């Protein structure tokens, strides 16, 4: 996929409608933005006023339309959105809160950054489903990687004209870029079918492949042969292969193996080190292609690195990424993003409203000062990412 422009989707009945009577200016404390960051493992929702004040937040379960269907996936969002509205009303002293409270009035802008919104047709389908819920006068759907990108663009980068490129490496890998004129660069990012390699899942698969071949002599010797089964309390790769094949160990637990791979690479193992080197190559290649598509290679621009793999601080990976970027995009400014992606959705929502820089600063201050468990934590029973999975990518 090449360059594109954001595609806001508005309900036909409200596309040209006049603003509701009584609407005030930027200081109006009523909810104006509904920000949604929905990954495979969890969803964060925030309601903001037009001046960037955070009025209510909530956390819910994962967003998995490919697994449960669009309607059921949006139902999960709906429950979390209802709790965010209830929290906002409770904070304002309007009622005691609770998801059963009366439905809130539509906000001006719904900004939803969603996992599994990988293709324009999927974005359009999900935008339609969210529009049907009546949450806002205007609905915009982006892939969740855009939330990481916008969250990582600081006030110093220019809230009035956000631009940059982000590579997110969690369970998978994805990359997006944006310019102030609305142009974006992105990739399908749906796995090997679209040419992707790496992420926690890809690294786990490659580590298992090399370890299996080392076990039976078809491949090079590697410490992965013993380190991977040891992670699961097993004594051989044969035992691990059998356990995964027969379902005693879910295949999804391969995501746990990325940290093991980095540990083995740090001990000087050539096979593990080659996989780390290839991961760095993939990250930098995606970033450089996005920069080139947006005509940003010759400009000083942030390249933001997010997701569990890139935010974990693996020296071998970090050093290679920095060195390769320095060679291929000398003006790029690599930076790790640890801000909550829901901040990015909130800032994108304020962007869409044309909010002043002060509003962006207020929203950023709220999320940056909040402790990791504030203002919301995972509800009981909510899935959490496997180690090394990090930010979900399609």
């Amino acid at each position: 996929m090449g360059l594109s422009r954001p595609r806001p989707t508005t309900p036909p009945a409200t596309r040209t409608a006049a603003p509701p009577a009584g609407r005030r200016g930027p200081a109006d404390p009523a909810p104006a933005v509904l920000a949604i960051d929905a990954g495979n493992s969890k969803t964060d929702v925030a309601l903001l006023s037009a001046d960037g004040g955070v009025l209510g937040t909530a956390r819910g379960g994962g967003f998995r339309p490919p697994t449960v269907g669009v309607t059921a996936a949006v139902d999960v969002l709906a429950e979390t959105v209802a709790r965010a509205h209830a929290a906002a009303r409770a904070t304002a002293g309007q009622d005691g809160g609770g998801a059963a409270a009366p439905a809130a009035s539509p906000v001006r802008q719904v900004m939803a950054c969603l996992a599994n919104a990988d293709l324009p047709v999927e974005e359009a389908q999900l935008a339609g489903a969210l529009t049907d819920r009546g949450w806002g006068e205007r609905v915009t759907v982006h892939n969740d990687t855009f939330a990481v990108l916008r969250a990582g663009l600081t006030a110093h980068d220019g809230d009035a004209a956000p631009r940059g490129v982000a590579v997110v490496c969690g369970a998978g890998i994805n990359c997006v870029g944006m310019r102030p004129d609305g142009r974006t660069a992105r990739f399908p990012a749906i796995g090997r079918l679209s040419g992707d390699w790496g992420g926690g899942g890809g690294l786990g698969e490659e580590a298992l492949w090399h370890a299996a071949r080392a076990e039976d002599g078809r491949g090079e010797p590697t410490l992965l042969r013993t380190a991977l089964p040891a992670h699961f309390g097993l004594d051989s790769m044969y035992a691990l292969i059998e356990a995964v094949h027969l379902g005693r160990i879910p295949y999804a637990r391969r995501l746990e193996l990325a940290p093991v791979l980095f540990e083995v690479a740090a001990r000087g193992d050539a096979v593990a080190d080659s996989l780390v080197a290839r991961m760095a190559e993939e990250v930098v290649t995606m970033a450089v292609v996005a920069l080139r598509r947006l005509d940003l290679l010759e400009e000083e621009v942030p390249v933001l690195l997010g997701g569990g793999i890139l935010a974990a601080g693996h020296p071998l990976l970090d050093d290679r990424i920095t060195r390769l970027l320095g060679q291929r995009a000398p003006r790029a400014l690599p930076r790790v993003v640890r801000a909550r992606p829901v901040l990015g959705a909130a800032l994108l929502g304020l962007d869409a409203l044309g909010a002043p820089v002060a509003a962006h600063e207020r929203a950023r201050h709220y999320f940056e000062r909040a402790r990791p468990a504030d203002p919301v934590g995972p509800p009981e029973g909510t899935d959490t990412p496997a180690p090394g999975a990090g930010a979900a990518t399609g």
Side-chain angles (χ1 to χ4, degrees), residues 104-132:
S105 299
V107 300
R108 293 164 58 189
Q109 174 70 56
V110 176
M111 185 60 65
C113 297
L114 309 177
N116 304 297
D118 298 308
L119 303 175
V121 64
E122 293 170 324
E123 288 180 335
Q125 180 186 27
L126 291 168
L130 268 60
T131 298
D132 290 344

Side-chain angles (χ1 to χ4, degrees), residues 4-74:
S4 63
R5 294 183 181 274
R7 291 170 300 281
T9 302
T10 56
T14 61
R15 183 170 295 155
T16 58
R23 171 168 289 167
R24 298 190 291 275
D28 184 358
V33 174
L34 172 60
I36 302 172
D37 171 63
N40 284 298
S41 61
K42 63 177 174 60
T43 295
D44 279 324
V45 170
L47 281 163
L48 295 91
S49 57
D51 64 357
V54 178
L55 307 175
T57 63
R59 174 168 288 183
F63 183 72
R64 306 185 186 96
T67 302
V68 303
V70 170
T71 299
V74 175

Side-chain angles (χ1 to χ4, degrees), residues 53-386:
V54 178
L55 307 175
T57 63
R59 174 168 288 183
F63 183 72
R64 306 185 186 96
T67 302
V68 303
V70 170
T71 299
V74 175
D75 284 343
V76 174
L77 297 186
E79 188 274 336
T80 311
V81 168
R83 287 193 290 107
H85 275 288
R89 292 193 296 272
T91 299
Q94 295 178 18
D95 60 42
S105 299
V107 300
R108 293 164 58 189
Q109 174 70 56
V110 176
M111 185 60 65
C113 297
L114 309 177
N116 304 297
D118 298 308
L119 303 175
V121 64
E122 293 170 324
E123 288 180 335
Q125 180 186 27
L126 291 168
L130 268 60
T131 298
D132 290 344
R133 300 294 173 124
W135 294 338
E137 299 170 18
R138 183 170 59 188
V139 174
T140 303
V141 170
H142 290 296
N143 179 269
D144 58 341
T145 308
F146 279 97
V148 176
L149 169 59
R150 191 63 183 89
L153 293 174
T154 67
H156 175 75
D157 299 318
D159 276 321
R163 66 183 183 128
V165 165
V167 182
V168 179
C169 190
I173 186 169
N174 200 354
C175 175
V176 298
M178 65 189 304
R179 288 187 64 109
D181 61 7
R183 283 189 292 164
T184 63
R186 58 185 299 185
F187 298 83
I190 52 178
R192 291 187 65 85
L193 177 62
S194 58
D196 309 317
W197 186 91
L203 288 173
E205 290 175 356
E206 291 290 334
L208 287 167
W209 188 86
H210 284 283
R213 293 173 69 86
E215 175 96 336
D216 62 25
R218 286 178 293 171
E220 299 176 48
T222 172
L223 296 174
L224 293 169
R225 182 179 66 83
T226 54
L228 300 189
H231 174 77
F232 297 105
L234 301 174
D235 60 4
S236 70
M237 271 305 298
Y238 182 87
L240 177 55
I241 292 166
E242 179 183 276
V244 173
H245 178 66
L246 298 179
R248 294 195 295 268
I249 295 176
Y251 183 60
R253 291 191 65 188
R254 73 193 185 284
L255 294 172
E256 300 175 22
L257 297 177
V260 179
L261 168 67
F262 284 105
E263 292 171 6
V264 171
R267 293 161 60 185
D269 183 85
V271 171
D273 184 72
S274 71
L275 296 177
V276 175
R278 184 176 177 187
M279 187 73 263
E281 176 71 28
E282 289 293 317
V283 168
V284 172
T285 296
M286 293 186 93
V288 170
V289 169
L291 289 168
R292 184 181 300 118
R293 287 178 178 175
L294 293 170
D295 299 318
L296 291 174
L297 268 177
E298 304 304 320
E299 299 183 30
E300 192 171 275
V301 63
V303 171
L304 306 164
L305 307 172
I309 299 296
L310 297 179
H314 299 296
L316 286 176
L317 181 62
D318 295 349
D319 291 348
R320 283 188 168 107
I321 290 173
T322 300
R323 185 174 68 252
L324 289 174
L325 268 177
Q327 294 169 358
R328 302 177 192 177
R331 305 205 66 186
L333 304 173
R335 187 163 70 225
V336 174
V337 179
R338 294 187 174 89
R340 299 181 186 186
V342 70
L343 167 62
L347 295 175
L348 285 168
L350 293 171
D351 292 344
L353 293 186
V357 171
H360 295 78
E361 292 176 348
R362 185 178 183 189
R364 184 180 285 107
H365 177 69
Y366 176 90
F367 286 104
E368 288 179 348
R369 68 178 171 79
R371 298 187 302 274
D374 285 340
V376 292
E380 186 175 350
T382 297
D383 293 337
T384 54

